[in-house]
């Protein structure tokens, strides 16, 4: 049993003071039981944080290169030092634009509006984004771009980490 004992003063222990005072005692058993009940209650009723993972499914088999419609395609090249180079359409006819990483959300929104306007808001003709991480890019930037895809509600995007054209490499180096 848990008790709280208060010792008597020194004179009373030596026998000089003949009147004995009653020593107060407090039983702490109920307090300890209550503490463990509360701890158990909060442990069982709390929910642990759910993992927030994004599913990325890359095909295992090799799919031949598909011709993507140039009027709906936006290519995003992830460079080093948090820089992004993007262009619309085909690589050979493209005009590359370099932006900081903070601007990718506005770039996606602007191009999504332009493509919708070009195709008269046809829901079947949505924007296709090709993400190409380079050797200089960081994993954090890659994950942040994927987050921006879900924030901007991009319906179709693909990750191409194998084929970086020589002209695209020139865009990154400039």
């Amino acid at each position: 049993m848990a008790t709280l004992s208060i010792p008597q003063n020194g004179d009373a222990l030596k026998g000089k003071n003949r009147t004995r005072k009653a020593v107060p005692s407090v039983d702490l058993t109920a307090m300890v039981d209550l503490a463990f009940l509360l701890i158990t209650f909060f442990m069982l009723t709390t929910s642990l944080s759910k993992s927030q993972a994004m599913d990325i499914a890359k095909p295992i088999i090799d799919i031949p290169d598909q011709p993507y419609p140039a009027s709906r395609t936006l290519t995003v090249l992830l460079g080093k030092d948090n820089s992004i180079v993007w262009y619309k359409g085909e690589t050979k006819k493209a005009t590359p634009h370099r932006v900081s990483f903070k601007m990718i959300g506005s770039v996606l929104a602007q191009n999504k509006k332009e493509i919708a306007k070009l195709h008269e808001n046809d829901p079947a003709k949505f924007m296709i984004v090709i993400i190409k991480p380079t050797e200089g890019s960081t994993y954090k930037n890659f994950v942040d771009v994927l987050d921006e895809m879900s924030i901007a509600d991009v319906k179709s995007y693909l990750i191409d980490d194998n084929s970086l054209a020589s002209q695209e490499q020139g865009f990154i180096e400039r």
Side-chain angles (χ1 to χ4, degrees):
M1 178 166 69
T3 58
L4 177 66
S5 300
I6 300 175
Q8 296 178 347
N9 61 13
D11 292 337
L13 292 176
K14 294 178 186 173
K16 293 183 181 178
N17 191 357
R18 295 285 177 195
T19 60
R20 291 193 168 191
K21 295 181 181 177
V23 177
S25 66
V26 179
D27 187 14
L28 298 177
T29 306
M31 184 82 73
V32 172
D33 288 345
L34 180 65
F36 280 110
L37 281 173
L38 286 173
I39 289 171
T40 306
F41 172 76
F42 287 123
M43 283 175 54
L44 294 176
T45 58
T46 58
S47 62
L48 300 175
S49 64
K50 306 283 189 246
S51 64
Q52 298 176 350
M54 181 180 289
D55 294 331
I56 297 176
K58 289 189 70 173
I60 297 172
I61 57 171
D62 290 332
I63 298 175
D65 291 336
Q66 301 175 11
Y68 297 105
S71 63
R72 299 187 300 145
T73 305
L74 176 75
T75 304
V76 177
L77 305 170
L78 303 177
K80 58 184 173 182
D81 298 329
N82 296 333
S83 66
I84 292 178
V85 177
W86 65 271
Y87 63 90
K88 286 193 330 188
E90 298 175 7
T91 308
K92 296 173 184 170
K93 301 176 185 175
T95 305
H97 303 278
R98 181 180 294 271
V99 293
S100 67
F101 198 79
K102 296 176 184 177
M103 299 297 296
I104 188 65
S106 62
V107 167
L108 290 173
Q110 175 189 359
N111 285 303
K112 188 175 178 182
K113 286 179 186 176
E114 288 176 8
I115 290 171
K117 185 178 177 183
L118 180 68
H119 294 286
E120 299 169 352
N121 293 326
D122 185 6
K125 296 188 177 183
F126 46 82
M127 179 173 69
I128 301 169
V129 179
I130 301 172
I131 303 169
K132 293 189 175 188
T134 61
E135 291 181 9
S137 64
T138 63
Y139 183 72
K140 179 188 181 313
N141 288 350
F142 176 69
V143 172
D144 289 344
V145 165
L146 292 180
D147 286 341
E148 288 293 333
M149 293 298 144
S150 62
I151 291 169
D153 193 29
V154 175
K155 294 182 182 178
S156 179
Y157 62 91
L158 59 111
I159 302 160
D160 186 7
D161 54 353
N162 292 332
S163 61
L164 190 66
S166 60
Q167 191 169 6
E168 291 172 336
Q169 188 67 35
F171 292 162
I172 291 289
E173 290 172 0
R174 273 189 259 151

